[in-house]
Amino acid sequence: MAPELVEEMSRPREQIRVLPALEKADKGVVMRFAPNPSGPLHLGHARAAVLNDAYVQRYGGRYVLRIEDTDPKRVDPHAYDMVREDIEWLGLAISDVVYQSDRFDLYYQYGRELIERGGAYVCTCENEQFRAMKLARKECPCRGRNIEDDLEMFEKMREGEYSEGEATLRVRTDLEHPDPAMRDYPAFRILKSPPHPRMDACLYPLMNFSVAVDDHLLGITHVIRGKDHIANTRRQRYIFDYFGWEPPEYRHYGRMGIEGVVLSTSQMRAGIAAGEYQGWDDIRLGTLRAMARRGIAPEAVKEAVLDIGIGETDISFSWENLFARNKALVDPIANRYFFVPDPVRVKVEGAQEQVAHALLHPAHPEKGTRDLLFQGEILLPREDLEKGSGMIRCKDLFNIEISGEGEELSACFAGESLADARAKKAPIIQWLPAKSAIPCTLVTPDGNRAGMCEHGVAREKGSVVQFERVGFARIDAVNPEGIIAYFTHR
RNA sequence: GGUCCCAUCGUCUAGCGGUCAGGACGCUGGCCUCUCACGCCGGAAACCAGGGUUCGAUUCCCUGUGGGACCA
């Protein structure tokens, strides 16, 4: 048989997509993940983080985490820790960590050099005034100043002699550029407040400047980022050109949304402040910590992101895709338990006291059983009882015959035979011993479901279990009042 | 308003001039099963529109439409 045919046949059904090759990557790569510490990481960050990580793994090299905290307005002091935790959760193979707030002296130094090379000038025009000239493709008066004066003014900017907005260092680009957004964009600005949590400064580099300088200094060879940065890539090119540096290879993937979720950090923050969300890990949010709390495995996020890839198409990502990946990971290992939502207490007449031995996992008998003691009274889901009278198979126990309705409902023993239940097409449903069941709240994005569960669930704190016929859930807390479980997915 | 990207089943994705347009999720029919889970076997489901180029366009070009991004 032809070898490629053998390979074809032995290839697993569900393979992870192979990402397109990168240019000039044969000798290894240096890539980066560069988040703002403005909040915890969300799925949008995960895409950038995982994609870059995957390429570093593939080609070998270094993976730099660069904390981009050059804008004090967009720094949340708590975010440094959150970002670190989230990266740890994702399991990225970070090799270097750099804080931009440690590198301001470098930025000043290169800012001066850019002026010396004729690539930048200090502009003291009013914002409105400059904008008007820019749109008219006209030079502003500051553009013609000589280099010595610009250097001197830049120094004064650093020393705090200008007030906020009074002076800006602009990159000299091309006033004829068809895109006005490219014309003489700012590289440094004065900011007197808010204070930066990690340092003391009043002259701040803007993102395009610090990013270009750092990409070069850190030896970044390839950048995979969203296409919302295409304009920035073009702006940064001017800086590379002025310094005679070779820019990295860029790839810009499309915009990503997730159905029903806000991915904007500022909007999430506002929602939390307004009490709309419980916190950054509110399960209705698209943050990684929210996913972790619901019981989504980091590998599922990784796989989902790799499946999306680096396509330039704008997409609206569906939770279903992520859930499916997670289910494949979690189903083989999650222990099974009974959770009875909206329980109804039923006395079963005519049955012997006995113990039901239910497998913790149907595919792994060696994991053992949960032993449920039947003593006459059980709890059953209201929803299943409302379907009317008839035979019900209590899973792993025996059959019962339901008669009557509502408060008059009664049940009597109807044999042990599973075959009998099958023949009568009796539904097989979960149940609980009334005595040993404990309260359990299932938290879902649509609200809480009150119910009861097996006492054994108490030993599963922190792990994901499957509530049979209900779905997967992560056991979040085990309190004296009961168990809090977060619904993962069906 | 200016500039720039993008367009394949409901969703994600493969495709790089000639394919029965492939796969995954979801949906659905059946089998298996002491869960409505898992597994197995089937099914429905897509090339945004109109012009070119070409013997031949999902694929190349133009226009429109529809999404999106950046600057303001």
Side-chain angles (χ1 to χ4, degrees):
Chain A
M1 204 186 281
E4 63 267 23
L5 212 72
V6 176
E7 194 192 340
E8 174 78 25
M9 292 174 70
S10 59
R11 188 183 297 162
R13 274 286 162 78
E14 211 171 314
Q15 51 185 321
I16 301 292
R17 209 162 86 73
V18 178
L19 294 170
L22 293 179
E23 299 285 313
K24 302 183 193 169
D26 314 327
K27 281 167 288 194
V29 295
V30 181
M31 302 184 72
R32 50 139 161 121
F33 174 51
N36 287 115
S38 54
L41 265 29
H42 54 65
L43 195 62
H45 292 111
R47 163 126 93 144
V50 169
L51 253 14
N52 282 282
D53 185 65
Y55 277 115
V56 175
Q57 307 270 347
R58 172 158 159 191
Y59 291 110
R62 308 196 69 77
Y63 194 22
V64 180
L65 169 65
R66 189 170 69 209
I67 304 294
E68 303 210 328
D69 55 350
T70 55
D71 181 356
K73 289 180 180 170
R74 291 208 289 170
V75 171
D76 173 352
H78 302 292
Y80 291 96
D81 281 340
M82 292 196 280
V83 167
R84 186 177 45 70
E85 289 161 8
D86 292 343
I87 284 172
E88 220 161 274
W89 182 77
L90 261 182
L92 302 178
I94 299 288
S95 53
D96 306 75
V97 182
V98 170
Y99 290 79
Q100 288 194 313
S101 52
D102 291 340
R103 300 164 68 83
F104 272 42
D105 284 341
L106 273 173
Y107 304 139
Y108 296 149
Q109 180 190 321
Y110 281 95
R112 282 190 290 271
E113 190 174 337
L114 189 58
I115 296 171
E116 284 163 5
R117 287 171 179 263
Y121 61 93
V122 175
C123 173
T124 54
C125 297
E126 290 283 323
N127 230 308
E128 285 301 319
Q129 198 184 342
F130 181 85
R131 186 187 310 157
M133 282 185 290
K134 177 170 80 174
L135 289 174
R137 305 175 185 228
K138 291 222 182 74
E139 284 205 350
C140 90
C142 315
R143 209 178 197 248
R145 202 182 294 113
N146 70 59
I147 289 174
E148 280 65 37
D149 290 348
D150 276 328
L151 281 172
E152 196 176 312
M153 289 171 82
F154 186 62
E155 193 55 26
K156 283 182 180 165
M157 285 169 76
R158 196 178 64 78
E159 285 164 358
E161 292 189 25
Y162 291 99
S163 56
E164 206 163 302
E166 201 181 350
T168 304
L169 187 76
R170 293 190 176 280
V171 178
R172 194 186 308 264
T173 65
D174 178 4
L175 294 179
E176 295 300 320
H177 195 111
D179 185 354
M182 291 300 130
R183 300 174 198 156
D184 287 17
Y185 68 86
F188 281 87
R189 64 172 168 180
I190 306 288
L191 227 47
K192 294 290 168 87
S193 69
H196 194 288
R198 294 185 83 244
M199 58 173 305
D200 184 28
C202 58
L203 178 59
Y204 288 85
L206 272 310
M207 175 261 191
N208 283 303
F209 185 81
S210 50
V211 164
V213 167
D214 276 342
D215 278 347
H216 173 258
L217 258 31
L218 300 169
I220 304 296
T221 60
H222 298 260
V223 176
I224 313 267
R225 50 172 14 172
K227 67 184 185 182
D228 41 318
H229 285 293
I230 288 179
N232 290 326
T233 300
R234 293 201 185 104
R235 280 189 273 254
Q236 287 157 219
R237 180 85 57 172
Y238 283 98
I239 294 173
F240 279 92
D241 287 347
Y242 275 121
F243 283 108
W245 297 334
E246 192 191 337
E249 294 283 314
Y250 296 93
R251 289 279 198 136
H252 297 97
Y253 54 75
R255 210 42 180 143
M256 177 176 67
I258 322 178
E259 57 172 1
V261 168
V262 227
L263 275 192
S264 141
T265 301
S266 55
Q267 281 185 55
M268 288 192 274
R269 182 184 301 285
I272 292 167
E276 191 183 332
Y277 303 119
Q278 313 262 57
W280 289 113
D281 60 353
D282 188 296
I283 53 170
R284 290 163 296 174
L285 294 177
T287 59
L288 298 184
R289 50 196 52 216
M291 294 178 197
R293 189 156 202 201
R294 298 177 67 138
I296 304 288
E299 291 75 22
V301 175
K302 280 188 175 177
E303 286 178 13
V305 162
L306 288 173
D307 184 50
I308 290 168
I310 60 172
E312 293 178 81
T313 312
D314 299 326
I315 61 166
S316 168
F317 187 69
S318 166
W319 287 104
E320 293 300 334
N321 290 296
L322 178 61
F323 290 164
R325 289 233 119 89
N326 194 62
K327 192 196 266 186
L329 293 166
V330 112
D331 183 79
I333 54 173
N335 285 333
R336 273 80 230 266
Y337 290 96
F338 290 153
F339 166 76
V340 174
D342 199 3
V344 177
R345 196 185 189 94
V346 177
K347 190 170 171 64
V348 181
E349 307 287 350
Q352 298 284 317
E353 188 169 308
Q354 60 188 284
V355 177
H357 304 283
L359 288 172
L360 275 167
H361 192 111
H364 301 287
E366 74 280 2
K367 287 182 96 170
T369 58
R370 309 108 63 188
D371 297 332
L372 303 170
L373 175 61
F374 168 79
Q375 289 176 298
E377 285 197 323
I378 61 173
L379 304 176
L380 292 170
R382 171 159 276 128
E383 201 186 347
D384 289 295
L385 293 175
E386 281 170 351
K387 288 167 186 161
S389 38
M391 184 184 271
I392 282 177
R393 170 75 180 182
C394 293
K395 187 166 184 287
D396 303 307
L397 187 65
F398 48 56
N399 310 328
I400 56 175
E401 190 71 34
I402 301 286
S403 54
E405 274 181 34
E407 302 307 310
E408 303 302 311
L409 195 121
S410 67
C412 61
F413 178 73
E416 306 264 356
S417 166
L418 175 63
D420 195 25
R422 281 255 168 74
K424 293 191 170 124
K425 296 224 165 24
I428 299 170
I429 69 172
Q430 79 277 32
W431 58 280
L432 291 167
K435 261 190 193 163
S436 64
I438 56 179
C440 177
T441 304
L442 187 61
V443 181
T444 82
D446 305 316
N448 294 353
R449 277 182 96 181
M452 304 285 277
C453 71
E454 297 175 31
H455 62 276
V457 174
R459 62 170 175 263
E460 297 279 1
K461 184 171 188 303
S463 50
V464 175
V465 302
Q466 189 201 48
F467 287 142
E468 297 193 62
R469 303 210 314 140
V470 174
F472 293 89
R474 185 179 153 278
I475 306 308
D476 191 69
V478 178
N479 301 325
E481 319 84 68
I483 281 170
I484 308 292
Y486 278 73
F487 184 68
T488 312
H489 47 65
R490 283 202 57 84

